[in-house]
């Protein structure tokens, strides 16, 4: 009968629990999720929901570690439903216990939903609830984690100023607690956000702090908090920062280091993150179309297999850009549009200005400067709306090229001056060099040879490395022509 079945489930659950407990420290017994799910089922049917909740949480966390995000979401959602269905807590101690349980579950659920951007609203809801609970309970470490998580979600949605505010609050809490894992998490979050804002020097400082504090043995704790491992991720972002700041060789070393670390981890989401920034974005910025195509191919393949919809859309955009630069312009434009549409449909607005810039360049290559200018206007409007200024200088340089095709030399020169002004404000020597080379080329055609040589030599002479990079080779060639 039903009573006997209830007792049987309790006896089986207790027996398995004893077996599981005895083997918990066994290194070979690595996959605990199947046992945790089984235990949860038995205790739920035995009418012991507290134990069922505990094991569902354990199963959810293990599924996150194994990159089984839909499974994790299902386990954690079920645990929260059981928690909500419990009778009202009678004592303050019981109420505190319930709140602690919910807080831990919401943080875990947020991470599980974070990985696949079709569940992004659920991730935001979970982290908002975690922030509310942690504030109510005075749980500072959980508040720090929820703030960083919300900051990164806002960053993905291109709400950079909001993200920056949240990230600063998280870092202050981490510094107060002096918790190395939380410091890694919060420095990394701020580094990512500041890079998108175009504050490369400040981003570099935070990313260097992340790298200095990072310990590989913290991997499971970090991916349970941040989803992507901040260690390799920080190295990848720092490659982009160093390139922008004018250190091409150091940037290339960072890029390779990030890719090596990402592949060693055996953690797909972390590898996708590294491929996106240490691979694709880095090679996009330094104009290596072959390497960009290789990275984009790997990112698309990985993202499709793991259902990382945002990274798949991003990889598709980068693949389109690579193909357009390699001469397959029409196919490239189609892929850029497809990837951008996919990303925007799930609310991933970050880096959209750069994607639109790539589309405008492809439209220019296709002989459609009017379309390119329309696309560039959309990209620059996005820059002003969101403060996404990581690629603003180059957008203005591309705009100048499009204006020249239309014969508007005055507006083109104004746009190049603006590109240089933006780069200087950002201390972005590589962007400054590229824009200055374009302007020097214009002045040469106008007969302003001495002015062009002096201006270009000044920025070229600043560099102390990377002399075989595309931009420095182009600048040196022009300088030689201006001096002959």
């Amino acid at each position: 009968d039903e009573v006997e079945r209830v007792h049987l489930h309790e006896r089986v659950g207790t027996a398995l629990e004893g077996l599981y407990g005895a083997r918990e420290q066994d290194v070979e017994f690595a996959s605990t999720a199947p046992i945790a799910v089984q235990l949860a089922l038995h205790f739920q049917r035995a009418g012991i929901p507290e134990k069922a909740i505990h094991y569902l949480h354990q199963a959810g966390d293990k599924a996150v570690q194994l990159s089984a995000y839909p499974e994790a979401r299902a386990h954690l959602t079920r645990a929260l439903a059981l928690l909500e269905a419990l009778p009202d807590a009678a004592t303050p101690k019981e109420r505190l216990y319930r709140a602690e349980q919910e807080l831990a579950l919401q943080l875990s659920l947020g991470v599980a939903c974070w990985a696949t951007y079709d569940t992004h609203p659920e991730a935001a809801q979970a982290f908002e609830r975690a922030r509310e609970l942690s504030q109510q309970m005075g749980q500072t470490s959980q508040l720090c984690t929820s703030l960083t998580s919300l900051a990164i979600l806002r960053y993905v949605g291109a709400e950079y100023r909001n993200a920056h505010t949240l990230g600063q609050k998280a870092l202050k809490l981490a510094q107060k607690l002096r918790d190395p894992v939380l410091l890694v998490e919060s420095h990394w979050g701020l580094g990512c956000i500041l890079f998108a804002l175009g504050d490369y020097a400040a981003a570099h400082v935070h990313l260097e702090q992340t790298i200095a504090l990072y310990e590989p043995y913290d991997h499971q704790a970090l991916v349970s908090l941040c989803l992507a491992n901040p260690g390799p991720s920080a190295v990848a972002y720092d490659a982009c920062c160093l390139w922008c700041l004018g250190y091409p060789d150091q940037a290339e070393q960072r890029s390779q280091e990030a890719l090596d670390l990402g592949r060693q981890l055996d953690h797909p989401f972390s590898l996708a993150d590294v491929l996106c920034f240490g691979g694709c974005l880095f090679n996009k910025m330094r104009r290596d179309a072959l390497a960009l195509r290789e990275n984009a191919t790997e990112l698309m393949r990985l993202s499709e297999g793991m259902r990382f919809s945002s990274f798949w859309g991003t990889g598709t955009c980068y693949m389109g850009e690579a193909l357009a630069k390699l001469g397959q312009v029409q196919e490239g434009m189609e892929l850029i549009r497809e990837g951008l549409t996919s990303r925007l449909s799930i609310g991933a607005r970050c880096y959209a200005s750069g994607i639109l810039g790539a589309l405008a360049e492809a439209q220019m290559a296709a002989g459609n400067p009017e379309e390119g200018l329309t696309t560039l206007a959309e990209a620059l409007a996005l820059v002003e709306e969101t403060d996404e200024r990581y690629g603003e200088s180059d957008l203005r340089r591309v705009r100048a090229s499009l204006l020249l095709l239309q014969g508007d030399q005055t507006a083109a020169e104004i746009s190049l001056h603006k590109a240089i002004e933006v780069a200087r404000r950002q201390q972005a020597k590589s962007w400054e060099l590229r824009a200055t080379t374009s302007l020097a080329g214009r002045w040469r055609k106008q007969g302003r040879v001495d002015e062009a040589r002096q201006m270009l030599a000044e920025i070229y002479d600043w560099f102390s490395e990377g002399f075989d990079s595309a931009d420095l080779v182009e600048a040196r060639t022009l300088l030689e022509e201006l001096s002959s």
Side-chain angles (χ1 to χ4, degrees), residues 5 20 40-41 46 51 60 73 95 100 131 153 210 220 232 234 265 327 424 444 450-451 471-472 478:
R5 276 197 295 273
Y20 167 63
L41 180 64
K51 282 196 172 186
R73 180 171 165 250
R95 286 193 288 273
E100 289 172 341
R131 173 166 67 168
L153 287 175
T210 306
Q220 293 297 359
L265 283 176
R424 286 175 177 168
R444 179 193 180 205
D450 290 342
E451 289 177 85
D471 288 297
L472 282 158
L478 180 54

Side-chain angles (χ1 to χ4, degrees), residues 63 70 172 245 298 364 394 399 422 474:
K172 284 181 182 177
L245 290 167
E298 187 176 356
M364 178 167 58
D394 213 43
R399 182 172 180 270
V422 168
E474 184 181 342

